[in-house]
Amino acid sequence: MSMPLFAAVFFIGAIALFVWWLVMLVEAVRIPAARWQEKGHNQVVYIILMVFLGVIGTLIYYFVPRPELR
């Protein structure tokens, strides 16, 4: 794989991860706090995890509270 092609694939992947992170963050913010409490999760904790841990925090959100909140 040539270097420019690798850089392009890396750049597109980074953009895709950023967009996915942003969509998940907006989704978490838009869910009412009452629903979070009803399901036994803390909205602020998961949002902080997503902001500070980035994709790892978003993966935690995606697999732990998201299925219950939907």
Side-chain angles (χ1 to χ4, degrees), residues 22-66:
L22 192 59
V23 167
M24 291 292 109
L25 185 62
V26 168
E27 178 183 299
V29 169
R30 293 185 67 185
I31 296 173
R35 189 183 305 165
W36 283 87
Q37 291 174 353
E38 176 184 299
K39 300 298 181 179
H41 295 287
N42 190 333
Q43 183 179 25
V44 175
V45 169
Y46 283 102
I47 291 172
I48 289 172
L49 283 174
M50 283 192 275
V51 169
F52 287 112
L53 296 180
V55 174
I56 294 170
T58 305
L59 284 171
I60 294 169
Y61 164 73
Y62 186 81
F63 288 110
V64 178
R66 186 171 183 256

Side-chain angles (χ1 to χ4, degrees), residues 5-23:
L5 179 61
F6 177 75
V9 169
F10 181 80
F11 181 72
I12 291 170
I15 294 294
L17 278 176
F18 176 74
V19 169
W20 181 69
W21 172 81
L22 192 59
V23 167

